[in-house]
Amino acid sequence: MLTLANVIWGARCGKSARRVLLGETRSSGHAYSVRGARESAALRQAPHGLPSSRLVSTILLDLWIEQWRRTKAKGDVLVVRFADDFVAGFQHRREAERLLEELRERFAKFGLKLHPEKTRLIEFGRFATADRKARGEGKPKTFNFLGFTHCCGTDRSGKFTVIRTTMRQRMLTKLKEVNLELRRRRHQPVDEQGRYVRALIGGHVRYYGVPFNSGAIRAFRAMVVRLWKKWLSRRSQRGYLRWDRMTCYIDRWVPPAIICHPYPSARFGG
């Protein structure tokens, strides 16, 4: 199954809606999210012979949503898509529900359907916490997009912001892969292993190093270091590696876990 959609409504378009999706502190309105999935064309084709995962298929989806926005939406709408994932922002809840229903109908015409377990509509945004509290409900739900878990939060000054953290399951899966790879490389020269670890952690930090995610990237770095030390210590029966020597390897090969990306307000000049 290919992940298809996230839909958000309530924020104004332009900078404000982008701030809701990208973590700005001065967004306005509610936001709701719908996440869906469609079947992979590798398993079967649509009746009209157009594989759903082809580039042309996503372009046609973009055109359909753009036409829907222009002809049927009364409030502000924003759509952000990456490959087969997209997030759509709506000012009004009824329009988000209408898009979800018409999206299901549109897919059905081509023999496709949204995954019932991965499709949901959630309240999300600047006023979501207060409104849900007034109704006696819990905190706003979170949604995942492009490797991040998005949740409602506040910055140090108490203003609303979208908190983006590394998806827990994705990080655990990656650490399992790293453990197997370091095990495979344990008899390689330390410099060669060090270059692998440096590229691994550096790439992770450059992608996930967004504001409010410092705890997750530090945890990933620390776990990789511990795994590396474990397998360096198992190179032989007498190969236990002391931490004082491991510290030298860390200083040389392991980059720091720092925030690499600016706040959206700085990036968009808002």
Side-chain angles (χ1 to χ4, degrees), residues 94-111:
R94 61 181 179 275
E95 293 183 356
E97 294 172 338
R98 182 179 179 183
L99 175 68
L100 176 60
E101 182 61 30
E102 294 189 15
L103 197 60
R104 289 193 176 105
E105 295 176 358
R106 182 69 176 177
F107 275 22
K109 291 181 179 179
F110 296 93

Side-chain angles (χ1 to χ4, degrees), residues 226 228-246 249:
R226 293 179 67 89
W228 191 23
K229 180 180 182 299
K230 179 184 75 172
W231 291 113
L232 285 176
S233 298
R234 297 185 181 183
R235 287 156 67 96
S236 67
Q237 293 181 346
R238 301 169 119 185
Y240 179 77
L241 184 66
R242 296 172 58 90
W243 271 107
D244 54 353
R245 188 173 181 182
M246 186 65 195
Y249 296 156

Side-chain angles (χ1 to χ4, degrees), residues 6-19:
N6 276 287
V7 179
I8 293 179
W9 86 75
R12 296 192 176 277
C13 278
K15 287 186 177 180
S16 296
R18 294 176 71 181
R19 285 166 180 161

